[in-house]
Amino acid sequence: MSAPPLRALPVGELRQRSSTKWRRYPENVLPLFVAETDYALAPEITRVLTRAVELGDTGYTPPHPGVAEAFSAFSARRFGWEVDPTAVRWTGDVMMGVVEILRRVIAPGDGVIVMPPVYPPFFDTVEEAAGVPVRVPLTRHEAGWAVDLDGVETALAAGARAVLLCSPHNPTGTVHPRAVLEALADIAERHGATVISDEIHAPLTYDRDAFTPFLAAGEGARRVGYAVTSASKTFNLAGLKCAVMVAGGPAQGEVLQSLPWEVEWRTGLFGALANVAAYAPESDAWLDSLLAALTESRALLGGLLAEHLPRARWLPPEAGFLAWVDVSDYGWGEDPASLIVREADVALHHGPYFGTEGAGHVRINFACGPEVLTEAMARIGALARS
């Protein structure tokens, strides 16, 4: 039996939140920009955090908060991926984990491949680690987006030392096929390079069988790779600060063990508690209901785009709740989101932030109630007709 879809909280209640999504803009603006969701927390997370507040359990994160074991069990259950808990360390968020690994596997000035259009902090993270971003854009074809394996090979042959993979990809929602991941691992191994895979959107893959964790894509991937992920995107926990770093093999495990103890201390206690609760079997039904809600919302967005922005071009994402939409035919300039928030009171994410490939694009967060999405698209449609 399919899970019943979650229902978003009422907008009046959501506006009482103090997070970025609801405080960045005035109340006349509908916020569909940052990747926060509009649903109540999974009951197990609410229970655990409520009890912690009742106990005054707000001290330091313990040396063994149970995150590794919970993540291992979740990965086996949801992805069929067996993860040794001893290969897992934790930190404050995914980008913290990425930058700390990069600092260990590259030298200052080394090139790190990024694949735009891509999550904007990828560029900043590489620079924070003293690396130089090397752009190898995704290729676009009729069926979707794909890793440019030839471009990766060329960049590694020219001296790049690492690949920063977004899997599933943000903002396109692409789920990279296993064969592509295997080929990427082979290329990296030939050139003695490292692959770091950001898999924060993985639990939100609509066809669960389609997603392959990078480290489950064969021995080659395990020899060159790391995965960094968190329950934060799926379960709306970004403010609580907890992510995991997973080593592909013994050499990568040594790298993770060599990280300063402060890397783990950056993990918030509430983040650890919430991630353990999110990864628990008790939260599986909630996750299934979230996916059902997002499936409905994705379909609704498709219909609304056809109605209000018929010249827009997009491909429904294979994972996540973010839609990458090309509205360049409307003549709204390189950064349409700036015009849309100013003239239509709808906040979308700025396409150019994701790289030059984002000119004329917007990213739309559809993890909201149907009435919010409908009103937002009607406002943008009115702007298009004006």
Side-chain angles (χ1 to χ4, degrees), residues 311-379:
R311 300 202 302 274
R313 295 183 294 274
W314 81 306
L315 290 170
E318 298 167 316
F321 50 82
L322 307 169
W324 185 238
V325 184
D326 181 354
V327 294
S328 55
D329 281 358
Y330 289 93
W332 291 336
E334 289 195 356
D335 185 13
S338 292
L339 175 72
I340 290 169
V341 72
R342 186 172 64 248
E343 301 293 335
D345 291 334
V346 179
L348 308 177
H349 211 325
H350 303 269
Y353 288 10
F354 296 81
T356 56
E357 295 75 12
H361 290 67
V362 294
R363 194 190 73 176
I364 302 174
N365 176 352
F366 57 84
C368 57
E371 70 285 352
V372 172
L373 192 59
T374 299
E375 172 63 19
M377 298 311 299
R379 292 183 186 184

Side-chain angles (χ1 to χ4, degrees), residues 295-310:
T295 299
E296 289 186 352
S297 195
R298 182 181 60 168
L300 175 62
L301 177 60
L304 292 169
L305 286 170
E307 177 182 356
H308 295 291
L309 294 173

Side-chain angles (χ1 to χ4, degrees), residues 195-329:
V195 178
I196 305 171
S197 184
D198 169 0
E199 299 183 355
I200 198 169
H201 294 272
L204 296 175
T205 303
Y206 293 100
D207 177 1
R208 278 170 55 182
D209 294 335
F211 174 71
T212 301
F214 180 72
L215 298 181
E219 289 298 327
R222 287 186 281 277
R223 286 192 293 268
V224 301
Y226 300 83
V228 189
T229 189
S230 173
S232 63
K233 200 67 64 184
T234 298
F235 292 89
N236 205 39
L237 306 173
L240 299 186
K241 294 300 177 186
C242 180
V244 297
M245 303 168 287
V246 187
Q252 290 77 21
E254 290 179 7
V255 169
L256 293 188
Q257 291 305 316
S258 75
L259 296 176
W261 60 268
E262 180 62 28
V263 173
E264 284 189 356
W265 273 101
R266 294 171 188 159
T267 307
L269 176 58
F270 273 29
L273 292 171
N275 269 249
V276 170
Y279 290 138
E282 290 83 355
S283 293
D284 282 357
W286 182 94
L287 175 52
D288 291 338
S289 290
L290 172 64
L291 284 165
L294 295 180
T295 299
E296 289 186 352
S297 195
R298 182 181 60 168
L300 175 62
L301 177 60
L304 292 169
L305 286 170
E307 177 182 356
H308 295 291
L309 294 173
R311 300 202 302 274
R313 295 183 294 274
W314 81 306
L315 290 170
E318 298 167 316
F321 50 82
L322 307 169
W324 185 238
V325 184
D326 181 354
V327 294
S328 55
D329 281 358

Side-chain angles (χ1 to χ4, degrees), residues 53-207:
V53 171
E54 291 171 347
L55 292 170
D57 189 9
T58 53
Y60 291 109
T61 306
H64 300 288
V67 174
E69 293 78 8
F71 175 74
S72 175
F74 177 85
S75 295
R77 208 168 57 246
R78 302 294 295 196
F79 307 135
W81 176 30
E82 300 293 337
V83 177
D84 182 349
T86 65
V88 179
R89 289 194 71 183
W90 44 95
T91 190
D93 59 43
V94 167
M95 289 297 100
M96 282 185 193
V98 168
V99 75
E100 294 300 340
I101 294 169
L102 279 175
R103 284 174 173 151
R104 287 298 191 276
V105 302
I106 67 170
D110 279 348
V112 178
I113 293 172
V114 295
M115 303 177 184
V118 73
Y119 183 50
F122 272 33
F123 301 99
D124 299 331
T125 296
V126 171
E127 293 174 355
E128 185 181 349
V132 176
V134 177
R135 294 162 32 85
V136 179
L138 296 182
T139 60
R140 178 74 158 82
H141 51 87
E142 277 192 17
W145 300 81
V147 174
D148 180 359
L149 293 171
D150 290 339
V152 170
E153 177 107 50
T154 298
L156 292 178
R161 303 308 306 143
V163 179
L164 189 47
L165 179 69
C166 196
S167 181
H169 197 88
N170 173 8
T172 64
T174 304
V175 175
H176 304 300
R178 181 187 180 98
V180 169
L181 301 178
E182 291 173 343
L184 177 62
D186 289 345
I187 294 168
E189 190 166 27
R190 280 201 302 275
H191 293 278
T194 298
V195 178
I196 305 171
S197 184
D198 169 0
E199 299 183 355
I200 198 169
H201 294 272
L204 296 175
T205 303
Y206 293 100
D207 177 1

